[in-house]
Amino acid sequence: HSAAVHDEHWKINRIMECGMNMAKSEFEHQATVNMVLAGMRRDILLGKYKGRKGISEAEIAGKYQVSRSSVRVVCRTLISDGLMIEKSNGRKEIVTVTEKYIEDLCQTRSILECAACRIILERQNNDFLKLLSIVGKFYSDLQIEDREKRRYELVDSNDRFHKEIFAMTDNVTLIQCMHTIWPMISTIVFFNASLAPDLNEHGNYESHKKIAEMLMEKDPDVLEFVRYHSEEAAMTDVLRAIEQAKKE
């Protein structure tokens, strides 16, 4: 009886161990895919593939030192993003990102975000605790001396702040629309976070603090402020940041 119990415990432990190893492997695979996607989206935005007739999976795998299976996931995602085209013969081409593409992206984000803010304004009871805590994080991020670390933290805070606005709506369809365009929005924010504070059209801490305060006060002018913040200011900043990055 004791041996049977021991065997049963051993089997359970083995199953749990295998499950944990599989989860770890899947996590590492996803992390690799995300790393390649981030790099390629930045290069596409910088126009590094402009004029190229095609790109192979082997070339991407070699550049980032990753497996072909990871590259296939990357390519499927870029095709879904509209940043890559797969021809009938299987050949892949990178789409050139124009100023018009960036303008459309910022405008679409603005439309979605204003819709989210309108829902929050019309609702009687809203919980702003998470939004306010993220505003506080923006302030802490700006105190970081290391430029690259500050940049990544600002991108993280920006993502969390704007996603929280959508989450507060409880509108699943609106949230899904946001998730569709967010990878490229996040890439734009990454470039914008490289700008010195005096070159940033809309200060990170001040602008997000104002949005939170206006929503809490149910100020209808928040819609125009958010439209400017997510469309015009974002557009101005990213074009400025891209030009700066091309010179570096």
Side-chain angles (χ1 to χ4, degrees):
H1 176 72
S2 177
V5 170
H6 180 270
D7 286 347
E8 193 62 30
H9 284 168
W10 182 84
K11 288 177 184 176
I12 292 170
N13 288 335
R14 284 294 297 155
I15 291 170
M16 290 177 65
E17 186 180 329
C18 288
M20 288 172 67
N21 287 338
M22 287 174 65
K24 182 183 177 184
S25 176
E26 180 59 33
F27 177 81
E28 289 173 348
H29 175 72
Q30 191 57 51
T32 299
V33 168
N34 290 341
M35 179 269 294
V36 178
L37 277 171
M40 289 199 68
R41 285 178 179 134
R42 287 196 287 271
D43 285 350
I44 291 169
L45 205 55
L46 285 170
K48 291 189 177 181
Y49 296 101
K50 192 174 181 179
R52 289 280 302 273
K53 290 185 177 180
I55 188 167
S56 68
E57 291 181 1
E59 180 184 344
I60 299 169
K63 178 179 179 179
Y64 291 97
Q65 294 296 294
V66 297
S67 68
R68 292 285 289 272
S69 63
S70 293
V71 171
R72 280 190 283 273
V73 176
V74 167
C75 290
R76 285 198 297 269
T77 305
L78 291 175
I79 290 168
S80 176
D81 286 350
L83 297 174
M84 180 181 279
I85 297 171
E86 186 169 23
K87 302 288 188 178
S88 56
N89 60 2
R91 185 176 178 176
K92 296 174 178 64
E93 291 182 5
I94 298 292
V95 174
T96 299
V97 171
T98 62
E99 189 171 319
K100 171 82 166 53
Y101 174 94
I102 297 171
E103 184 179 352
D104 289 346
L105 187 66
C106 291
Q107 186 180 54
T108 302
R109 174 199 174 180
S110 171
I111 291 168
L112 294 175
E113 198 143 356
C114 284
C117 288
R118 194 172 288 110
I119 291 172
I120 294 170
L121 287 175
E122 292 170 356
R123 182 175 291 165
Q124 290 302 313
N125 298 310
N126 295 292
D127 184 355
F128 290 99
L129 285 177
K130 282 186 181 178
L131 208 62
L132 290 173
S133 70
I134 299 167
V135 169
K137 184 177 179 297
F138 269 113
Y139 185 81
S140 300
D141 295 344
L142 291 169
Q143 313 310 311
I144 299 171
E145 292 185 8
D146 184 274
R147 183 185 173 193
E148 277 305 295
K149 185 178 180 184
R150 181 174 66 246
R151 185 181 191 178
Y152 279 100
E153 289 300 325
L154 284 171
V155 172
D156 175 66
S157 295
N158 189 86
D159 280 0
R160 288 170 59 187
F161 182 91
H162 291 283
K163 285 179 179 179
E164 177 59 20
I165 285 178
F166 283 95
M168 286 175 67
T169 69
D170 294 323
N171 186 313
V172 175
T173 304
L174 192 60
I175 292 168
Q176 287 176 332
C177 290
M178 177 272 292
H179 279 302
T180 301
I181 65 168
W182 203 259
M184 277 306 288
I185 293 294
S186 191
T187 303
I188 284 176
V189 172
F190 180 83
F191 278 104
N192 292 356
S194 70
L195 292 173
D198 60 319
L199 292 176
N200 197 288
E201 188 72 14
H202 239 198
N204 285 289
Y205 172 67
E206 294 84 0
S207 60
H208 293 91
K209 179 174 178 282
K210 186 170 181 177
I211 290 170
E213 289 174 346
M214 292 177 84
L215 284 172
M216 289 173 70
E217 293 165 4
K218 293 196 177 296
D219 185 344
D221 289 342
V222 70
L223 299 177
E224 175 55 27
F225 188 79
V226 166
R227 186 203 64 76
Y228 174 76
H229 172 80
S230 57
E231 185 176 345
E232 292 181 29
M235 180 76 177
T236 300
D237 283 346
V238 72
L239 293 178
R240 189 178 289 158
I242 287 173
E243 282 306 308
Q244 178 178 286
K246 285 178 178 178
K247 293 174 184 176
E248 291 177 351

